[in-house]
Amino acid sequence: MSDVVSRLDVLKTYKLYVGGKFPRSESGRVYEVTDAKGEWLANAPLGTRKDARDAVVAARAAVKGWAGTTAYNRGQVLYRVAEMLQGRRAQFAAEVALSEGVGPKKAAALVDAAIDRWVWYAGWTDKVAQIAGGANPVAGPYFNLSTPEPTGVVGIVAPQAGYGHSLLGLVSVIAPAIATGNTVVVAAAADAPLPALSLGEVLATSDVPGGVVNVLSGRTADIAPTLASHQDVNALDLTGAIADDGPGAAGALETLAADTLKRVIRPELDPFAQDWTNAPGTDRLLSFLETKTVWHPMGI
């Protein structure tokens, strides 16, 4: 008899990440995710409009607690995400390599860059007020102080193309939004959702409160319009939307967002040309902040 015992591989069941939990799509449907060569990798949950609405409810419920957390503490939480992602570096490198069709070394470099990006934004949480706020000179015996506050719930169409989009691009749009106290609902890259869905598992063990980040997979055309038209979503990041007027594309989503006066980040004209390894600036940190100005009389 052979000493080798045959066994079946335990295939991973990917799930959505909503409200700190891991539900299947409410429809129970999945879709096939393939690698760059068209080979089957996994089944991902096919998110629906109902899933998007549930995610918005979870994000709204988390706004008060997360926005009320001290900036220093938010930085600690984001740094913890980097720690946990570092511990699963090999898994994410394998998923990125299969999702984007890059070699092991390039995939590992992209994961390292994603870890570094969490650290970079963690360092900004208690400093952004210094560049977005300040004391204003006024003609009178008053202090006039402007301070930044989070916008609220941000709907994000994650990068769908470009070098490093599946994880590094995803982190590059999530981290600045939550660093400043917003909560987010993310439509992951439809053709490469596995790193995004696995990131939900990292977030769940990283002290990020449930509902602060919600990750949906599926067809962008099914999820994005719900986020754009939802009255409880305050802003939209359309980085991953197609820059035309087709269903689920940027033009149509902006039209839907106009009804509720959402703040919108428009996509690049050529998303495939975007290199997410480029150093980030502060633009995304400042994009979803409101300014509160307070007048206070000077003491005698």
Side-chain angles (χ1 to χ4, degrees), residues 200-224:
E201 298 171 6
V202 168
L203 296 170
T205 55
S206 302
D207 303 328
V208 179
V212 171
V213 179
N214 305 273
V215 182
L216 306 175
S217 61
R219 292 187 291 263
T220 304
D222 291 341
I223 299 170

Side-chain angles (χ1 to χ4, degrees), residues 212-299:
V212 171
V213 179
N214 305 273
V215 182
L216 306 175
S217 61
R219 292 187 291 263
T220 304
D222 291 341
I223 299 170
T226 299
L227 300 180
S229 62
H230 203 297
Q231 294 187 11
D232 229 6
V233 174
N234 303 106
L236 281 181
D237 183 344
L238 300 180
T239 295
I242 303 170
D244 63 26
D245 295 320
L253 296 175
E254 285 185 271
T255 299
L256 291 172
D259 285 342
T260 48
L261 303 179
K262 290 178 175 59
R263 184 174 297 187
V264 176
I265 291 182
R266 303 200 70 196
E268 298 288 336
L269 291 177
D270 184 7
F272 288 93
Q274 193 152 6
D275 184 353
W276 290 100
T277 61
N278 292 332
T282 57
D283 290 352
R284 289 187 179 276
L285 280 166
L286 304 177
S287 293
F288 300 123
L289 287 174
E290 308 291 340
T291 300
K292 179 176 73 174
T293 300
V294 177
W295 293 71
H296 194 282
M298 293 181 180

Side-chain angles (χ1 to χ4, degrees), residues 22-253:
F22 297 94
R24 292 178 170 83
S25 171
E26 61 86 25
S27 69
R29 300 171 63 191
V30 298
Y31 70 102
E32 290 188 356
V33 179
T34 59
D35 63 16
K37 297 180 180 179
E39 298 292 327
W40 181 87
L41 292 177
N43 291 331
L46 188 63
T48 66
R49 290 174 293 178
K50 175 64 162 59
D51 292 316
R53 291 195 297 270
D54 290 344
V56 172
V57 170
R60 175 56 60 190
V63 165
K64 184 177 180 180
W66 184 242
T69 301
T70 65
Y72 179 74
N73 184 240
R74 284 200 301 271
Q76 290 178 308
V77 172
L78 265 65
Y79 189 84
R80 179 62 173 167
V81 177
E83 291 179 340
M84 300 303 291
L85 187 55
Q86 177 72 49
R88 297 175 62 169
R89 179 175 180 269
Q91 174 202 340
F92 278 90
E95 290 182 342
V96 169
L98 291 170
S99 297
E100 300 189 30
V102 298
K105 289 185 178 179
K106 284 189 175 182
L110 289 170
V111 175
D112 289 342
I115 295 168
D116 294 345
R117 196 135 303 174
W118 280 112
V119 174
W120 195 83
Y121 281 114
W124 268 105
T125 56
D126 58 355
K127 301 172 184 66
V128 68
Q130 299 174 42
I131 64 171
N136 309 309
V138 295
Y142 304 98
F143 293 111
N144 183 267
L145 305 175
S146 294
T147 58
E149 293 189 340
T151 298
V153 177
V154 181
I156 298 176
V157 180
Q160 311 283 314
Y163 178 58
H165 71 285
S166 68
L167 179 64
L168 178 56
L170 177 78
V171 170
S172 297
V173 295
I174 292 177
I178 67 171
T180 50
N182 298 288
T183 64
V184 300
V185 179
V186 185
D191 64 339
L194 304 189
L197 296 174
S198 290
L199 181 64
E201 298 171 6
V202 168
L203 296 170
T205 55
S206 302
D207 303 328
V208 179
V212 171
V213 179
N214 305 273
V215 182
L216 306 175
S217 61
R219 292 187 291 263
T220 304
D222 291 341
I223 299 170
T226 299
L227 300 180
S229 62
H230 203 297
Q231 294 187 11
D232 229 6
V233 174
N234 303 106
L236 281 181
D237 183 344
L238 300 180
T239 295
I242 303 170
D244 63 26
D245 295 320
L253 296 175

